[in-house]
Amino acid sequence: FKDRGAIERSDVLGPMARLFNPVDNDANLIDQSQVVNKVVVVGKTLKNFEIQLEDGGLGVDDATVTSDKFVIERTIGGTTTMLVPEVDYTLEYESTSNIVLVTPTAGVWINATYTVNVTNSAAGIRDRAGNNLQPNEASGATKFVIQLTDTATSSWQNPNNKYDVNG
């Protein structure tokens, strides 16, 4: 008797996603936010966002990593726009490193707040054992917020209105 399915039965956790570029809560303090999964980058130009997919079991099911699993919104001055793949950005998946590369078609990301939502349902990204991508938010969502700006918001400022010091 040979048990050839033991690994699959022991793989009960789905893959995880983390920001690879920009790095969340990095040692170099490029991220000005202490909030997990929210990165604030001040005075730097980014040519791409990178999301690392990690799985401690059988590995990420590469066939499930497609552009329709990512929804990217851009907020500028309180106005939120859903970005369109192949129009506003391109998405590439490097299966050997499990890195998703999101590159703006304009060449660089403009100053704004970007919310990257990653589908983690049964129709979303999975590992080879069929486990869904793990959420990184208490709401059950998998998302990242990246804010690019030229000026840092002080802790006492209202983040929605930099002139309102009452929060």
Side-chain angles (χ1 to χ4, degrees):
F1 172 76
K2 291 184 181 180
D3 184 357
R4 296 175 191 212
I7 293 174
E8 288 84 351
R9 286 195 297 273
S10 67
D11 186 358
V12 296
L13 290 176
M16 297 185 311
R18 70 177 174 94
L19 277 174
F20 194 71
N21 180 47
V23 176
D24 191 12
N25 297 318
D26 65 312
N28 296 325
L29 301 177
I30 292 172
D31 177 11
Q32 300 291 303
S33 170
Q34 297 302 310
V35 178
V36 176
N37 300 319
K38 179 178 182 183
V39 175
V40 176
V41 178
V42 179
K44 296 197 181 299
T45 302
L46 291 181
K47 294 183 179 179
N48 57 51
F49 301 148
E50 295 177 39
I51 299 170
Q52 173 98 52
L53 301 174
E54 301 171 326
D55 186 66
L58 295 175
V60 176
D61 180 353
D62 297 335
T64 65
V65 185
T66 56
S67 62
D68 63 324
K69 305 300 188 322
F70 296 82
V71 176
I72 303 175
E73 298 172 332
R74 176 179 58 210
T75 303
I76 301 175
T79 302
T80 300
T81 306
M82 188 180 308
L83 301 184
V84 179
E86 304 304 324
V87 174
D88 298 308
Y89 67 93
T90 60
L91 189 136
E92 297 176 52
Y93 175 58
E94 177 51 56
S95 61
T96 56
S97 61
N98 293 328
I99 291 181
V100 176
L101 183 67
V102 184
T103 306
T105 55
V108 295
W109 292 106
I110 63 172
N111 285 349
T113 299
Y114 298 89
T115 303
V116 180
N117 291 289
V118 187
T119 305
N120 64 7
S121 65
I125 295 173
R126 296 183 310 275
D127 66 10
R128 291 184 184 148
N131 300 307
N132 297 342
L133 180 69
Q134 295 182 46
N136 64 2
E137 298 279 322
S139 67
T142 303
K143 79 175 185 179
F144 304 97
V145 177
I146 304 164
Q147 182 180 355
L148 305 178
T149 182
D150 285 330
T151 55
T153 302
S154 297
S155 59
W156 49 266
Q157 283 180 306
N158 179 341
N160 298 319
N161 180 351
K162 66 182 178 179
Y163 302 111
D164 176 9
V165 297
N166 298 316

